[in-house]
Amino acid sequence: MAQITLPDECAAITGGQCSLTLSAENYRDLRAMLVQQWPDLDVLLDRYAVAIDGQIYQDAFMEPLNEDSEVFFMPRIEGG
Amino acid sequence: MADAVDYKQIGSRPVRPDGLDKVTGRAQFGADTVLPNMIHGKVLRSAHAHAKIKGIDVSGALALPGVFAAISGADFPGGGIEGEVGGEGGGTLSDVAKNVMARDKVLYHGHTVAAVAAATPMIAEAALAAIKVEYEPLSPVLDVLHAMQSDAPLVDENNYTNLPEKPESPSNVANLGRLERGNLEEGFAAADVVVEREFECPMTHQGYIEPQACVASIDENGRGTVWCSTQGHFEFRAATSKILGKDLADLKIVPMEIGGGFGGKTVVYLEPLAVMLSEKSGRPVKMAMSREEVFRATGPASASVARVKVGAKRDGTITAAQAWVAYEAGAFAGAPYMPGAMAIFAPYELENFLVETFDVLVNKPKVAAYRAPGAPQSMHAFECALDEIAQLIDMDPIDLRLHNAADEGTQASYGPKFPPIGFKACLQAAKDHPNYQAPVPEGAGRGVAAGFWFNVGMQSSAEVHINENGTVMVIEGSPDIGGSRASMCLMAAETLGVEYDKVRAQVADTESTGFCNVTGGSRTTFATGMAVTRACEDVIAECKKRAAMTWGLDEDQVEWEDGQAIPGPGVNADVKALSLADLAGKAAKTGGPIQGRASLNAQGAGASFSVNFGDLRVDQETGKVDVLSYTAVQDAGKAIHPSYVEGQMQGGAAQGLGWALNEEYIFSDDGVLQNAGFLDYRIPVCSDLPMIDTSIVEVANPSHPYGVRGVGETPIVAPLAVAANAVSRSLDMRICKLPLSPPNLLEAIDGE
C-alpha cells in the first residue's frame, strides 16, 4: 500500500485524516480514489504538486506507484 | 547518464552569442520597437495610497489635439477572471486585472487609474494632467504587524482569510501556511541552548536595469502583435487576452531582448493597456515605464517579520526549531508565504519543527517574484539563529550545519525524501576553500549561511532544424535572461556530436514555436534544455534512418557517433561514415529537410543548495559596512556553461548583499514611497563589492540527461544571513534588522 500524505489544509475535508494508505497502480488512479472518497478534494488537488518517492511532479498523471511508494502532496512552487 | 569526463562541449565556456549585440547597442529591447504612425501611451497613477474612486473624467484629455485615446477602469470587462498568474507572487488574474487598472478603489500610491495615447510623449503627459479623478481618501495600512491586528484598516473589505471555514469577519490576512513535525515541547526540553529572536527584512526591488516597455499594434479586427520585455511571452499572451476578454489566438507576443527580470517580469502591467489603447486609437502604441514608475508600481519583494526559536544540544544537534513569518503581499494577496515555509528548514534533518507563515495585505505595490521568492526572508532568520547557536556552543558554523545537514534519503521538512543532493558537498567545499582557511581580517567578522531553492520543470518546447550544410538551428520559446541560448547550443552540440560553433539558437514568438512556461524558477536550462536534447535525439533517429536508407541497411544496424552515422558493431558494410552535413546535403533525395522536435512537461527538477561565507567589517563611527571578501559555493548538478553559472552565483550574491546592506523601500506615513530612484534606493555598484569568488559543486540530478539542477534562484538566499552574521560577529552583538545600513547600525551601536 502506498503511503499518502496530504497537506494540513485538506484536514477539514478529510475529517482530519492527512496520512493514509491506498493501493493504486498510478497517480491518476490514486487521485480518482481520493476524490471518490472526498469529492471536495478535487479542486484542491489540482493546486498541488506531488512528490512520488522523492521525485517532485508539478503535473503528475500516469506516473506509476509501487506498493511501498511514498506520495506527498505539496504546494506548487514556481520561482522567479 | 553520460559521465561528465566524456563531455566535449558541455562544460566549455564559449563567448555568449548575444554579447556583442548587447554591448554595441544593436540588441533590440522592449522600448526599441518603432512602427509607422506609432503613438505614445502614458499612465495616470494614484496620488493616494488608499482611496475610493468617486469618479474619473477623461473628456478633458480627449479634447486635447494629438490625443487619440483615453481609458480608465470603466473600459475594462467586468466580472471575475478565472486563472492564476505564473510565478510566486503572481496571484489571481482577477487581481492582476485590478492591478493593471484600478476599478473602484486605489490600493497603493502609484496604482494605475487611467491611461492615454497621444502623438508625442509630451502631449500624453498634458493629457494625463487634464484627467479629473475624484477620490475619497482612506487610511492606509503600511506595516505587516499592524495590518494583522483586528482593528487595522482593511485593504480589501472582501478579503477573508483562506481557511476551511470562512471567518466571520474580513481581515488583511489572506492566507496561512503551516508545516509541522515531531514534538516541539520535547525538542526544546532536550536542548542545552535556545536562541529566540525577531528578524525584519525590508521590501526591496529586483532592480532590473531595463524598465517595463512594450509596443502594441492591433488591427480593426482586434487582432495584433505586442513586442515586449517579458520572462514569459506565452503567459503574457494568456494574461493580456483574458484581462481584455479577447481570444488568445488574436494576440501574438514577441519577446524582445530583456534587460533583467529576476521574477519581476512574470506579470503584465503595461501590455493590456497598450493593446486597449492601440485598439481604440487604431495606431501602434508604445509604452515604457520610467524608473520612478518601476519602483512605485511594479512588484517588489515582500517585507517580512520573522520570529524564530531554535534549540540545540552542545554537540550541535538541533533538537527543535520554530518559526513564525509574516510576509507583506502588497495590495493583493499573493506573498510567497508557502515557499518561505517550505524553504526555511529544508537544508536540515530536523525531528521537531513548526513553521507558520502569513500572506498579509498592505497598501503598497503588489509584490512579485524575486529570485527564490520567500526563501531569503525566512532563511535569513533561521540561518542567523543557527549562527548564534554556533557561538553559544563554540562550534564552527559550517561544522554545525554539517552535523545537521540533509542528505539523500532525508525526509525534507516540506515532505518528500530527498533524491541525491549536494548540500553536504557544498559545506565541505566551503570548509576546504582557501578563503575559509584564511584568518578573519582584524576588526572583521566572518558570516556563514546556507541557501536553498526547490527548482522546477514545467512545460517547454523546442525544434531543431538541420540546415542544408549540416549546421544546426535550435528554435525555443524561453526568453534568454541568463544565457540560455548558449546553454541550449552547448547541449544540442553535445547531443548531436558537433562543434558548438555549428549551432545557433533563436527565441521564437508565440506563433513560431510551441508553448513554453516562463523563464523563471531556475527551469530553463533544466526543462527547455531537456526539450532541446530530446529534439536532437529526434534528429539523430531521423539521420540514422536516412543513413540506413542510403546504405541499404536496417535502421537498427546504424549508430550515431561523434556527429556521424556509422554502421553498428558487427555490421558488414563497406561504407563511409555520413556526417550531419553529408546527410543534410542529400536530404532532398532521402525525404526532405531534417528536423526534430520535442514538447514536454519536465519533471524531476533537482533541489539546489548553496553555502556562502564572507568577511565584513563595520566602521563603528559611520556605520558603513565594507565587504572584504565573499565566497559562494553552490551545487549546479552540472554546469553546462560554467561562466554563466558563476555569473548567476555572483549576481545573486551582489543582489543579496544589496538587500542585506542598503536596499529598502522607505514610505512616508501616508504611504508615499520616498526613494523611488537609484540615487536614493541604493543597489550595490562595482566599487561596493569585492570580486565574488565562486566554487561550483556538481552532484548530478539523475532526472536530467546531463545532470542539470538549475542555478538562478539559490544564489540570492544565503547573502542576507551571511552579511548579518558577519556584522553581528564583527560588532559582538546580534543585528536582526535589515538593511545593515549606516543609520540602522549606528542606532544599534549607540543603543548598546
Side-chain angles (χ1 to χ4, degrees), chain B residues 540-596:
Chain B
I540 290 170
E542 182 64 22
C543 286
K544 288 162 71 174
K545 184 176 140 189
R546 306 288 181 101
M549 194 186 305
T550 304
W551 293 332
L553 299 174
D554 293 333
E555 285 176 41
D556 60 7
Q557 292 180 300
V558 179
E559 294 203 342
W560 189 260
E561 191 174 291
D562 291 334
Q564 50 189 10
I566 57 171
V571 177
N572 186 16
D574 184 18
V575 295
K576 176 177 169 288
L578 292 172
S579 68
L580 208 50
D582 295 332
L583 290 161
K586 296 282 173 62
K589 295 184 184 303
T590 56
I594 298 170
Q595 68 172 47

Coordinates of all heavy atoms in Angstrom, one line a residue, chain B residues 540-596:
Chain B
I540 N 18.7 12.7 -34.5 CA 19.6 11.6 -34.7 C 18.9 10.4 -35.2 O 19.4 9.6 -36.1 CB 20.3 11.3 -33.3 CG1 21.3 12.4 -33.0 CG2 21.0 9.9 -33.4 CD1 21.8 12.3 -31.6
A541 N 17.7 10.1 -34.7 CA 16.9 9.0 -35.1 C 16.6 9.1 -36.6 O 16.7 8.2 -37.4 CB 15.6 8.9 -34.3
E542 N 16.2 10.4 -37.0 CA 16.0 10.6 -38.5 C 17.2 10.4 -39.3 O 17.2 9.9 -40.4 CB 15.4 12.0 -38.6 CG 15.0 12.4 -40.0 CD 13.8 11.5 -40.6 OE1 13.1 11.0 -39.8 OE2 13.7 11.4 -41.8
C543 N 18.3 10.9 -38.8 CA 19.6 10.7 -39.5 C 20.0 9.3 -39.7 O 20.5 8.9 -40.7 CB 20.7 11.5 -38.8 SG 20.6 13.3 -39.0
K544 N 19.8 8.5 -38.6 CA 20.1 7.1 -38.7 C 19.2 6.4 -39.8 O 19.6 5.5 -40.5 CB 19.9 6.4 -37.4 CG 21.0 6.8 -36.4 CD 20.7 6.5 -35.0 CE 20.6 5.1 -34.6 NZ 20.4 4.9 -33.2
K545 N 17.9 6.9 -39.8 CA 17.0 6.3 -40.8 C 17.5 6.7 -42.2 O 17.5 5.8 -43.1 CB 15.6 6.9 -40.6 CG 14.5 6.4 -41.5 CD 13.2 7.1 -41.0 CE 12.4 7.4 -42.2 NZ 11.2 8.3 -41.8
R546 N 17.9 7.9 -42.4 CA 18.4 8.3 -43.8 C 19.7 7.6 -44.1 O 19.9 7.2 -45.3 CB 18.7 9.9 -43.8 CG 17.5 10.7 -43.3 CD 16.4 10.8 -44.3 NE 15.3 11.7 -43.9 CZ 15.1 12.9 -44.3 NH1 15.9 13.5 -45.2 NH2 14.1 13.7 -43.8
A547 N 20.6 7.4 -43.2 CA 21.8 6.6 -43.4 C 21.5 5.2 -43.8 O 22.1 4.6 -44.8 CB 22.7 6.7 -42.2
A548 N 20.6 4.6 -43.1 CA 20.2 3.2 -43.4 C 19.7 3.1 -44.8 O 20.0 2.2 -45.5 CB 19.2 2.7 -42.3
M549 N 18.8 4.1 -45.1 CA 18.3 4.1 -46.5 C 19.4 4.2 -47.5 O 19.4 3.5 -48.6 CB 17.3 5.4 -46.6 CG 16.4 5.4 -47.8 SD 15.5 7.0 -47.8 CE 14.8 7.1 -46.2
T550 N 20.4 5.1 -47.3 CA 21.5 5.3 -48.2 C 22.3 4.0 -48.4 O 22.8 3.7 -49.5 CB 22.4 6.4 -47.7 OG1 21.6 7.6 -47.5 CG2 23.5 6.8 -48.6
W551 N 22.5 3.3 -47.3 CA 23.4 2.2 -47.3 C 22.7 0.8 -47.6 O 23.3 -0.2 -47.7 CB 24.1 2.0 -45.9 CG 25.1 3.1 -45.6 CD1 25.8 3.9 -46.6 CD2 25.5 3.6 -44.4 NE1 26.6 4.8 -45.9 CE2 26.4 4.6 -44.6 CE3 25.1 3.3 -43.1 CZ2 27.0 5.3 -43.5 CZ3 25.7 4.0 -42.0 CH2 26.6 5.0 -42.2
G552 N 21.4 0.9 -47.6 CA 20.6 -0.4 -47.8 C 20.7 -1.2 -46.5 O 20.6 -2.5 -46.7
L553 N 20.8 -0.7 -45.4 CA 20.8 -1.4 -44.1 C 19.4 -1.2 -43.4 O 18.7 -0.3 -43.7 CB 21.9 -0.9 -43.2 CG 23.3 -1.1 -43.8 CD1 24.3 -0.5 -42.8 CD2 23.6 -2.6 -43.9
D554 N 19.2 -2.0 -42.3 CA 18.1 -1.7 -41.4 C 18.5 -0.5 -40.5 O 19.6 -0.4 -40.2 CB 17.7 -2.9 -40.6 CG 17.2 -4.0 -41.5 OD1 16.6 -3.7 -42.6 OD2 17.3 -5.2 -41.1
E555 N 17.5 0.2 -40.0 CA 17.8 1.3 -39.1 C 18.5 0.9 -37.9 O 19.4 1.6 -37.4 CB 16.5 2.0 -38.7 CG 15.9 2.9 -39.8 CD 14.5 3.5 -39.4 OE1 14.4 3.9 -38.2 OE2 13.6 3.5 -40.2
D556 N 18.2 -0.3 -37.4 CA 18.9 -0.7 -36.1 C 20.3 -1.2 -36.4 O 21.0 -1.6 -35.5 CB 18.1 -1.8 -35.4 CG 17.8 -3.0 -36.2 OD1 18.4 -3.1 -37.3 OD2 17.1 -3.9 -35.8
Q557 N 20.7 -1.2 -37.6 CA 22.1 -1.5 -37.9 C 23.0 -0.3 -38.0 O 24.2 -0.4 -38.3 CB 22.2 -2.3 -39.3 CG 21.6 -3.7 -39.2 CD 21.7 -4.4 -40.6 OE1 21.2 -3.9 -41.6 NE2 22.4 -5.5 -40.6
V558 N 22.4 0.9 -37.7 CA 23.2 2.2 -37.8 C 23.3 2.8 -36.4 O 22.4 2.7 -35.6 CB 22.4 3.1 -38.8 CG1 23.2 4.5 -38.8 CG2 22.3 2.5 -40.2
E559 N 24.5 3.3 -36.2 CA 24.7 4.0 -34.9 C 25.1 5.4 -35.2 O 25.5 5.8 -36.3 CB 25.7 3.3 -34.1 CG 25.2 1.9 -33.6 CD 26.0 1.4 -32.4 OE1 27.0 2.0 -32.1 OE2 25.4 0.5 -31.8
W560 N 25.0 6.3 -34.1 CA 25.4 7.7 -34.2 C 26.5 7.9 -33.3 O 26.4 7.7 -32.1 CB 24.2 8.6 -33.9 CG 24.4 10.0 -34.2 CD1 24.8 11.0 -33.3 CD2 24.4 10.7 -35.5 NE1 25.0 12.2 -34.0 CE2 24.7 12.0 -35.3 CE3 24.0 10.2 -36.7 CZ2 24.7 12.9 -36.3 CZ3 24.0 11.1 -37.8 CH2 24.3 12.5 -37.6
E561 N 27.7 8.4 -33.9 CA 28.8 8.6 -33.0 C 29.6 9.8 -33.5 O 29.9 9.9 -34.7 CB 29.7 7.3 -33.1 CG 30.8 7.3 -32.1 CD 31.6 5.9 -32.1 OE1 31.0 4.9 -31.7 OE2 32.7 5.9 -32.6
D562 N 30.0 10.7 -32.6 CA 30.8 11.9 -32.9 C 30.2 12.7 -34.1 O 30.9 13.1 -35.0 CB 32.2 11.5 -33.2 CG 32.9 11.0 -32.0 OD1 32.5 11.4 -30.9 OD2 33.9 10.2 -32.1
G563 N 28.9 12.8 -34.2 CA 28.3 13.6 -35.2 C 28.1 13.0 -36.5 O 27.9 13.6 -37.5
Q564 N 28.3 11.6 -36.6 CA 28.1 11.0 -37.9 C 27.5 9.6 -37.7 O 27.6 9.0 -36.6 CB 29.4 10.9 -38.6 CG 30.6 10.3 -37.8 CD 31.9 10.5 -38.6 OE1 31.9 11.2 -39.6 NE2 32.9 9.8 -38.1
A565 N 26.8 9.2 -38.8 CA 26.2 7.9 -38.8 C 27.3 6.9 -39.2 O 28.0 7.1 -40.2 CB 25.0 7.8 -39.8
I566 N 27.3 5.7 -38.5 CA 28.3 4.7 -38.8 C 27.5 3.3 -38.8 O 26.5 3.2 -38.0 CB 29.5 4.7 -37.9 CG1 29.0 4.5 -36.4 CG2 30.3 5.9 -38.1 CD1 30.2 4.3 -35.4
P567 N 28.0 2.3 -39.5 CA 27.4 1.0 -39.3 C 27.7 0.5 -37.9 O 28.7 0.8 -37.3 CB 28.2 0.1 -40.3 CG 28.8 1.1 -41.3 CD 29.1 2.3 -40.5
G568 N 26.7 -0.2 -37.3 CA 26.8 -0.7 -36.0 C 27.8 -1.8 -35.9 O 28.3 -2.3 -36.9
P569 N 28.1 -2.2 -34.7 CA 29.1 -3.3 -34.5 C 28.6 -4.6 -35.1 O 27.5 -4.9 -35.0 CB 29.2 -3.5 -32.9 CG 28.6 -2.2 -32.4 CD 27.6 -1.7 -33.4
G570 N 29.6 -5.2 -35.9 CA 29.2 -6.5 -36.5 C 28.5 -6.3 -37.8 O 28.3 -7.4 -38.5
V571 N 28.2 -5.1 -38.2 CA 27.5 -4.9 -39.5 C 28.6 -4.9 -40.6 O 29.5 -4.1 -40.6 CB 26.7 -3.6 -39.5 CG1 26.1 -3.4 -40.9 CG2 25.6 -3.7 -38.4
N572 N 28.5 -5.8 -41.5 CA 29.5 -5.9 -42.6 C 29.0 -5.0 -43.7 O 28.3 -5.4 -44.6 CB 29.6 -7.3 -43.1 CG 30.7 -7.5 -44.1 OD1 31.5 -6.6 -44.2 ND2 30.7 -8.6 -44.8
A573 N 29.5 -3.7 -43.7 CA 29.1 -2.8 -44.7 C 30.4 -1.9 -45.1 O 30.9 -1.3 -44.2 CB 28.0 -1.9 -44.3
D574 N 30.7 -1.9 -46.3 CA 31.9 -1.2 -46.7 C 31.4 0.2 -47.1 O 31.3 0.5 -48.3 CB 32.6 -1.9 -47.9 CG 33.9 -1.1 -48.3 OD1 34.4 -0.3 -47.5 OD2 34.4 -1.3 -49.4
V575 N 31.2 1.1 -46.1 CA 30.6 2.4 -46.4 C 31.4 3.4 -45.6 O 32.1 3.2 -44.7 CB 29.1 2.5 -46.0 CG1 28.3 1.5 -46.8 CG2 29.0 2.2 -44.5
K576 N 31.3 4.7 -46.1 CA 31.9 5.8 -45.5 C 30.9 6.4 -44.5 O 29.8 6.6 -44.8 CB 32.3 6.8 -46.5 CG 32.9 8.1 -46.0 CD 33.3 9.0 -47.2 CE 33.7 10.4 -46.8 NZ 32.5 11.2 -46.4
A577 N 31.4 6.8 -43.3 CA 30.6 7.4 -42.3 C 29.9 8.6 -42.9 O 30.5 9.4 -43.7 CB 31.4 7.8 -41.1
L578 N 28.7 8.9 -42.5 CA 27.9 10.1 -43.0 C 27.7 11.1 -41.9 O 27.1 10.8 -40.9 CB 26.6 9.6 -43.6 CG 26.6 8.7 -44.8 CD1 25.2 8.2 -45.1 CD2 27.1 9.5 -46.0
S579 N 28.3 12.3 -42.2 CA 28.2 13.3 -41.2 C 26.8 14.0 -41.3 O 26.1 13.8 -42.3 CB 29.3 14.4 -41.4 OG 29.1 15.0 -42.6
L580 N 26.6 14.9 -40.4 CA 25.3 15.7 -40.4 C 25.3 16.5 -41.7 O 24.2 16.6 -42.3 CB 25.3 16.6 -39.2 CG 24.0 17.0 -38.6 CD1 23.0 15.9 -38.4 CD2 24.1 17.8 -37.3
A581 N 26.4 17.0 -42.1 CA 26.5 17.8 -43.4 C 26.2 16.9 -44.6 O 25.5 17.3 -45.5 CB 27.8 18.5 -43.5
D582 N 26.8 15.7 -44.6 CA 26.5 14.7 -45.7 C 25.1 14.4 -45.8 O 24.5 14.4 -46.9 CB 27.3 13.4 -45.4 CG 28.8 13.6 -45.4 OD1 29.3 14.5 -46.1 OD2 29.5 12.8 -44.7
L583 N 24.5 14.1 -44.6 CA 23.0 13.7 -44.6 C 22.1 14.9 -45.0 O 21.2 14.7 -45.7 CB 22.7 13.2 -43.3 CG 23.3 11.8 -42.9 CD1 23.3 11.6 -41.4 CD2 22.6 10.7 -43.7
A584 N 22.5 16.1 -44.5 CA 21.7 17.3 -44.8 C 21.8 17.6 -46.3 O 20.8 18.0 -46.9 CB 22.1 18.5 -44.0
G585 N 23.0 17.5 -46.9 CA 23.2 17.8 -48.3 C 22.4 16.9 -49.2 O 22.1 17.3 -50.3
K586 N 22.2 15.7 -48.8 CA 21.4 14.7 -49.6 C 20.0 14.6 -49.1 O 19.2 13.6 -49.5 CB 22.1 13.3 -49.5 CG 23.5 13.3 -50.1 CD 23.4 13.3 -51.6 CE 24.8 13.4 -52.3 NZ 25.7 12.4 -52.0
A587 N 19.5 15.5 -48.2 CA 18.2 15.3 -47.6 C 17.1 15.3 -48.7 O 16.1 14.6 -48.5 CB 18.0 16.4 -46.6
A588 N 17.3 16.1 -49.7 CA 16.2 16.2 -50.7 C 15.9 14.8 -51.3 O 14.8 14.5 -51.7 CB 16.6 17.2 -51.8
K589 N 17.0 14.0 -51.4 CA 16.8 12.6 -52.0 C 16.3 11.6 -51.0 O 15.8 10.5 -51.4 CB 18.1 12.2 -52.6 CG 18.6 13.0 -53.8 CD 19.8 12.4 -54.4 CE 20.4 13.2 -55.5 NZ 19.4 13.5 -56.6
T590 N 16.4 11.9 -49.7 CA 16.1 10.9 -48.7 C 14.8 11.2 -47.9 O 14.6 10.6 -46.9 CB 17.3 10.7 -47.8 OG1 17.6 11.9 -47.2 CG2 18.5 10.1 -48.5
G591 N 14.1 12.2 -48.3 CA 12.9 12.5 -47.6 C 12.6 14.0 -47.3 O 11.6 14.3 -46.6
G592 N 13.5 14.8 -47.7 CA 13.3 16.2 -47.4 C 14.1 16.7 -46.2 O 14.9 16.0 -45.6
P593 N 13.8 18.0 -45.8 CA 14.6 18.6 -44.7 C 14.6 17.7 -43.4 O 13.6 17.1 -43.1 CB 13.9 19.9 -44.4 CG 13.2 20.2 -45.7 CD 12.8 18.9 -46.3
I594 N 15.7 17.8 -42.6 CA 15.8 17.0 -41.4 C 15.5 18.0 -40.2 O 16.1 19.0 -40.1 CB 17.2 16.4 -41.3 CG1 17.5 15.5 -42.4 CG2 17.4 15.7 -39.9 CD1 18.9 15.0 -42.5
Q595 N 14.6 17.5 -39.4 CA 14.3 18.3 -38.2 C 13.8 17.4 -37.1 O 13.4 16.3 -37.3 CB 13.3 19.4 -38.5 CG 11.9 18.9 -38.7 CD 10.8 20.0 -38.8 OE1 11.0 21.0 -39.4 NE2 9.7 19.8 -38.1
G596 N 14.0 17.9 -35.9 CA 13.5 17.2 -34.7 C 12.7 18.1 -33.8 O 12.8 19.3 -34.0

